[in-house]
Amino acid sequence: MSEQQRPEAETNAPVFSPRKNGQAQSVSDELAAWMTTGWADTELRDLEPVEQAGHTARRRAALSAAFPGDRLVIPSGQLLTRSNDTEYPFRAATDYAYLTGDTTDGNCLVLTPRADGGHDAVLYLKPRSDRDNGEFWLGGYGELWTGRRNSLGEAADLLGLPTADVRTLPGALRGDASVTTRIVRGHDTELDALVDGLRADTDEGARAKSAQLDEDLGVTLADHRLVKDEWEIAQLQLAVDATVRGFGDVARALPQAKDTSERYVEGTFFLRARVEGNDVGYGTIAASGPNATTLHWTRNDGPVREGDLLLLDAGVETTTLYTADVTRTMPISGTFTDLQRKVYDLVYEAQEAGIAAVAPGQPFTAFHQASQRVLAEGLVEWGLLEGPVDRVLELGLQRRYTLHGTGHMLGLDVHDCAVSRQEVHLYGDLKPGMVLTVEPGLYFQPDDLTVPEELRGIGVRIEDDVLVTEEGRTVMSAGLPRSSAEVEAWLAERLPR
């Protein structure tokens, strides 16, 4: 966020230069004066708080309790330039969205410590465009260019916390430089630099201490996000349900995809994501034939051929930024070959074992170990690996064909809470409210001479989103078929006869 957008005090001078498409515009005094008049009052009044306002307040209180006496700075992030004067679509920083419910750019939440050990929360936001200084129509970020923003008062009502003009934020932070300040780094380089300037990091030890302050804040937020509340679970279910419909769209579009490429599959799913959500939660993997053996195949420019398998790994992201993450591998013709079915059924059996191992009190690693054992047993039985199975697992030999872990946490990020403490995540126990994926796979590379030729180029992954409940688990993506027979029946209902 540039200092041009964050002056220390309000002025009547234009905040943004009058430029269009990179070129300076000539504006007469008469036009400038006329543009300041004749505008209706559009302030929205009597607004009700957004649905998650009570949840975000509770989350801020939990964060406050974790850091008494420290000032906490959580930026939303900035627009990033894609090329010249165009930007990438904006996606708010996860922790900021989690604590505020706001998803707009250029803002910042600040929790300032009180003497009683609590914090005062203030959300620093871009105000509405000033109709007196011309920014609303001359500046590239004015409202006539990018759309109406909420006023500070509207935002306060909607989000349930005090707001202030973000242009006053540098002065507010510098006004009390003595307080220990922690920041969620990596989202706003100028705020990172401003906080660095408040610190007396004169030697390597002091710099290391400051870095630890910020790391602890990020880790604590990730720890807090591991267990989802009921509102978050509902948002994730919305994302999953839309994703299920998107997979149905793709199945119906397979004939058109065969006439074009994997891009048709990607575009078909993206249409569903845009219609029902905010976006996709990650780059869609639409991998046909041997491309399915590349784990993160996002080029999506290969052919969609009759007789091949299509591995589709995709997820709708809601307007509140919660994402699904689902994978299905389907025969493009509608029917598995015997060999494809053999591979698919082993992966399905491994997923069944993994899902069964998801339960409260179970180690996070249990579902991975259960799935990997099934896959290793199958690979030994097929003669691709030399047993016994325990030896294979101890040495990790199955990883040549399974490649990745069997799942991860899911939420606001597709690989959620990645920086949380290992003792409460990777090496901790599952708790009710956690949401994770279970996604075993087998990938036989086209050039792998350790497998029979007929297996080369086959890749299969099955992935579902699973909620840990008090009683055990709920498969949130159960609306999609999983067994080979169910997949064929599902395709038969959608493919042209």
Side-chain angles (χ1 to χ4, degrees):
M1 192 174 290
S2 69
E3 289 297 323
Q4 184 184 19
Q5 292 171 256
R6 282 180 174 154
E8 292 299 323
E10 297 273 4
T11 71
N12 290 322
V15 177
F16 294 92
S17 300
R19 302 180 71 84
K20 179 181 180 182
N21 299 329
Q23 302 297 317
Q25 300 180 72
S26 177
V27 178
S28 68
D29 292 342
E30 288 82 2
L31 175 58
W34 186 34
M35 289 297 290
T36 66
T37 65
W39 302 103
D41 177 9
T42 59
E43 182 76 7
L44 303 176
R45 297 172 176 84
D46 301 321
L47 295 173
E48 294 295 325
V50 295
E51 189 177 8
Q52 68 264 48
H55 296 288
T56 56
R58 176 181 46 75
R59 297 166 194 165
R60 292 192 299 273
L63 186 64
S64 170
F67 296 101
D70 292 354
R71 180 167 56 189
L72 310 178
V73 179
I74 302 97
S76 71
Q78 291 293 337
L79 290 169
L80 296 177
T81 299
R82 181 180 184 271
S83 177
N84 193 21
D85 59 353
T86 62
E87 291 85 22
Y88 287 104
F90 178 74
R91 201 277 192 187
T94 292
D95 293 320
Y96 174 86
Y98 176 75
L99 294 169
T100 67
D102 180 51
T103 59
T104 55
D105 66 281
N107 307 322
C108 187
L109 173 68
V110 177
L111 274 62
T112 302
R114 299 192 305 261
D116 64 3
H119 288 78
D120 292 321
V122 176
L123 189 57
Y124 288 84
L125 301 169
K126 292 179 184 177
R128 288 199 62 195
S129 295
D130 192 332
R131 296 294 171 113
D132 293 328
N133 68 10
E135 178 261 340
F136 77 104
W137 70 286
L138 290 174
Y141 298 98
E143 290 187 5
L144 297 194
W145 291 69
T146 60
R148 185 187 188 278
R149 296 189 290 269
N150 287 324
S151 71
L152 298 182
E154 291 168 350
D157 291 342
L158 289 168
L159 301 175
L161 74 166
T163 59
D165 189 331
V166 73
R167 294 172 294 185
T168 67
L169 177 57
L173 293 178
R174 294 188 186 112
D176 189 359
S178 63
V179 64
T180 298
T181 300
R182 301 173 185 260
I183 184 170
V184 177
R185 287 193 167 269
H187 302 293
D188 192 314
T189 56
E190 294 194 20
L191 273 180
D192 288 347
L194 195 158
V195 170
D196 287 341
L198 301 177
R199 295 167 171 169
D201 294 346
T202 57
D203 56 46
E204 186 175 343
R207 286 190 292 273
K209 182 178 179 181
S210 291
Q212 191 63 53
L213 290 174
D214 300 336
E215 181 180 338
D216 289 346
L217 174 58
V219 168
T220 298
L221 278 163
D223 286 352
H224 286 189
R225 292 194 297 105
L226 279 169
V227 175
K228 274 59 180 175
D229 58 41
E230 64 271 21
W231 183 85
E232 292 182 286
I233 292 168
Q235 291 298 302
L236 283 167
Q237 191 64 64
L238 288 174
V240 169
D241 292 344
T243 299
V244 168
R245 288 187 283 274
F247 274 68
D249 296 341
V250 167
R252 284 183 284 270
L254 283 177
Q256 290 85 356
K258 286 187 286 188
D259 294 334
T260 51
S261 74
E262 295 162 343
R263 293 278 168 92
Y264 202 95
V265 173
E266 176 186 0
T268 299
F269 185 83
F270 185 65
L271 176 60
R272 175 63 64 176
R274 293 301 281 170
V275 167
E276 291 207 30
N278 176 55
D279 209 331
V280 289
Y282 53 95
T284 295
I285 297 168
S288 178
N291 293 338
T293 64
T294 300
L295 293 186
H296 286 177
W297 176 262
T298 55
R299 299 180 204 170
N300 299 336
D301 58 359
V304 177
R305 296 191 181 100
E306 190 82 9
D308 281 346
L309 297 175
L310 172 69
L311 189 157
L312 178 61
D313 185 334
V316 171
E317 180 184 81
T318 66
T319 55
T320 57
L321 307 187
Y322 288 83
T323 185
D325 182 9
V326 176
T327 306
R328 287 295 183 271
T329 306
M330 59 190 85
I332 293 166
S333 66
T335 305
F336 292 99
T337 67
D338 290 344
L339 187 61
Q340 290 169 347
R341 189 187 309 276
K342 176 181 177 181
V343 177
Y344 187 97
D345 286 350
L346 178 56
V347 174
Y348 172 71
E349 184 183 348
Q351 196 202 28
E352 285 279 88
I355 291 173
V358 173
Q362 287 294 309
F364 175 80
T365 55
F367 74 98
H368 169 71
Q369 293 167 349
S371 290
Q372 291 292 302
R373 175 167 288 276
V374 170
L375 293 174
E377 288 171 348
L379 292 167
V380 169
E381 182 181 338
W382 293 355
L384 297 182
L385 294 174
E386 181 181 348
V389 170
D390 286 340
R391 168 187 169 272
V392 169
L393 292 170
E394 181 180 356
L395 298 175
L397 301 180
Q398 81 284 0
R399 290 290 295 273
R400 180 176 180 116
Y401 311 118
T402 67
L403 293 180
H404 56 81
T406 311
H408 52 80
M409 293 296 181
L410 186 68
L412 278 165
D413 288 325
V414 65
H415 294 159
D416 206 31
C417 308
V419 300
S420 58
R421 288 175 297 146
Q422 291 194 352
E423 59 266 32
V424 298
H425 182 174
L426 295 178
Y427 304 116
D429 292 340
L430 295 175
K431 298 178 181 179
M434 290 181 172
V435 179
L436 61 148
T437 67
V438 180
E439 50 173 313
L442 282 174
Y443 312 92
F444 301 112
Q445 303 304 317
D447 58 348
D448 191 342
L449 301 181
T450 69
V451 299
E453 185 176 358
E454 62 269 20
L455 280 176
R456 296 173 200 165
I458 293 180
V460 173
R461 181 164 65 251
I462 312 171
E463 177 180 20
D464 282 274
D465 302 339
V466 182
L467 167 67
V468 183
T469 65
E470 295 284 354
E471 297 77 23
R473 75 210 62 84
T474 297
V475 179
M476 302 177 76
S477 46
L480 281 176
R482 290 196 296 118
S483 73
S484 56
E486 290 170 342
V487 169
E488 288 179 334
W490 179 79
L491 286 170
E493 294 174 355
R494 288 158 179 81
L495 289 173
R497 297 183 184 277

